[in-house]
Amino acid sequence: MSRISYVNGRYVHHSQAMVHMEDRGYQFADGVYEVIAFYNRRLLDEIPHLERLERSLKALEITPPMPQASLRFVMRELLARNNREDGTLYMQITRGTARRDHPFPKHTRANLVMAVTGPKCPKEKEVSEGVSVITQPDLRWARRDIKSIALLPNVLAKQAATHAGAREAWLMDENGFIGEGAVSNNAIVTAKGEITTSPTDQHILGGITREVMLELARKEGIKILLKPFSVKEAEAAEEAFLMSTTSNILPVTCIDGTKIGSGRPGKITLRLLELYHEHIYRQTGKR
Ligand code: PDD
């Protein structure tokens, strides 16, 4: 099956999907991205993803390459051309191609690329047994709410996790508080059965999966505390989990080698995952 990608108005074979070396994303990380899951060829939570994309573009004063309706058309066309039922769609918009100079170029159009890959969902064993995480210092800039392609600190933290045999790195500030992970949001469940997760301010990326989880939890009557938690609180928690487009809701059972709760996926986490699967089913028909 040939893999088709999109580059600035053209659908091309993936091996030919290229932008110029003076693309500002390549030289300055001057761009933003989105990762959207699809099941049965239907995009999950498409609108919130596109709204976040719009917010990211606006924050960086990048003029969108096309209206949202056209973007939605291109996404559908790309899915149709790739003949894949489930997977993820990656979209990246940079400020464009221009001679290398720090200030915004005057007459440059944004570069838009999209690619489709297969599903990246966690392994069955990771869901049934939970995963481990390690903590890493948060080396990122102060506007983590923007889904910027400047991901080097995330890459380094995730590599440290991979090297340690852990699924994810939880990023810790100088006071020992954890806002989110290198590639996911996170939450703990206290002994009282309350969910604690960071509020969406400039310190974390407001995940779409996290938003859905919060809505499901509220409907279920679970109490939610919007605050960052410390490593100590995580170690003392009853349950923990992480969330992202590619991980869904994934139980975390170990942090820096310390068992969380019983060391098994918690009841509330598994209930939320069940509700999340129903959410996917309602939107896409995928079981
Ligand atoms: N990562 N926080 C960070 C730093 C992330 O990179 C991500 C997503 C999330 C979760 O956001 P969402 O639920 O909208 O996927 C939180 C994507 C999947 C990635 O970079 O591949």
Side-chain angles (χ1 to χ4, degrees):
M1 182 172 54
S2 74
R3 188 174 170 204
I4 304 297
S5 294
Y6 175 91
V7 182
N8 288 331
R10 296 193 311 132
Y11 297 90
V12 296
H13 194 272
H14 189 64
S15 62
Q16 301 301 311
M18 293 175 201
V19 291
H20 193 270
M21 70 158 281
E22 284 192 317
D23 172 72
R24 287 183 60 99
Y26 188 53
Q27 294 191 321
F28 295 115
D30 188 359
V32 301
Y33 75 107
E34 276 297 328
V35 180
I36 310 178
F38 61 91
Y39 301 88
N40 281 338
R41 296 165 199 263
R42 294 202 196 125
L43 293 156
L44 183 71
D45 297 314
E46 180 186 7
I47 298 298
H49 277 283
L50 290 179
E51 284 172 356
R52 182 173 65 188
L53 179 70
E54 227 167 70
R55 284 198 300 278
S56 297
L57 288 169
K58 200 165 172 213
L60 299 182
E61 295 174 50
I62 295 175
T63 308
M66 59 177 71
Q68 205 180 87
S70 313
L71 211 52
R72 294 181 73 186
F73 174 83
V74 173
M75 287 157 76
R76 272 166 189 67
E77 184 62 28
L78 189 66
L79 291 192
R81 289 184 190 227
N82 273 280
N83 194 29
R84 204 183 253 293
E85 287 214 344
D86 308 327
T88 51
L89 186 147
Y90 178 84
M91 180 190 320
Q92 176 172 308
I93 299 176
T94 68
R95 199 179 303 279
T97 304
R99 198 181 64 189
R100 188 179 182 280
D101 197 6
H102 287 67
F104 299 170
K106 283 213 173 69
H107 308 291
T108 307
R109 272 179 65 88
N111 283 329
L112 166 63
V113 300
M114 286 187 211
V116 163
T117 55
K120 285 191 185 162
C121 40
K123 297 184 193 84
E124 246 177 73
K125 198 172 161 212
E126 291 180 305
V127 179
S128 61
E129 294 186 7
V131 297
S132 52
V133 299
I134 59 164
T135 54
Q136 283 289 291
D138 196 345
L139 303 177
R140 298 174 301 161
W141 72 327
R143 288 301 306 276
R144 300 158 193 159
D145 54 317
I146 301 171
K147 201 162 168 64
S148 139
I149 57 172
L151 291 172
L152 189 53
N154 308 58
V155 166
L156 295 177
K158 181 79 181 188
Q159 176 55 27
T162 305
H163 185 70
R167 165 84 189 196
E168 172 66 307
W170 280 6
L171 305 175
M172 200 173 46
D173 70 15
E174 55 283 358
N175 301 313
F177 281 89
I178 299 167
E180 64 180 329
V183 298
S184 57
N185 292 121
N186 53 21
I188 55 172
V189 181
T190 63
K192 284 191 197 155
E194 295 170 352
I195 292 174
T196 303
T197 187
S198 277
T200 41
D201 50 22
Q202 297 190 350
H203 294 98
I204 67 159
L205 180 77
I208 307 303
T209 320
R210 174 187 171 283
E211 257 342 292
V212 173
M213 180 284 291
L214 287 176
E215 201 184 311
L216 296 170
R218 281 189 195 108
K219 280 193 191 145
E220 196 72 358
I222 301 169
K223 198 169 165 206
I224 296 154
L225 301 174
L226 293 180
K227 66 169 201 69
F229 52 83
S230 64
V231 178
K232 276 208 171 112
E233 283 173 288
E235 285 172 351
E238 209 49 39
E239 306 180 22
F241 57 93
L242 59 84
M243 297 152 275
S244 81
T245 295
T246 45
S247 300
N248 296 337
I249 292 172
L250 189 58
V252 173
T253 47
C254 182
I255 177 168
D256 286 337
T258 301
K259 209 163 74 173
I260 298 176
S262 65
R264 306 282 311 159
K267 258 201 305 211
I268 291 180
T269 306
L270 293 178
R271 175 66 185 143
L272 288 169
L273 178 59
E274 188 178 35
L275 292 169
Y276 191 72
H277 284 149
E278 281 170 24
H279 169 76
I280 295 175
Y281 175 70
R282 273 196 303 276
Q283 272 195 32
T284 67
K286 185 78 183 183
R287 281 260 184 239

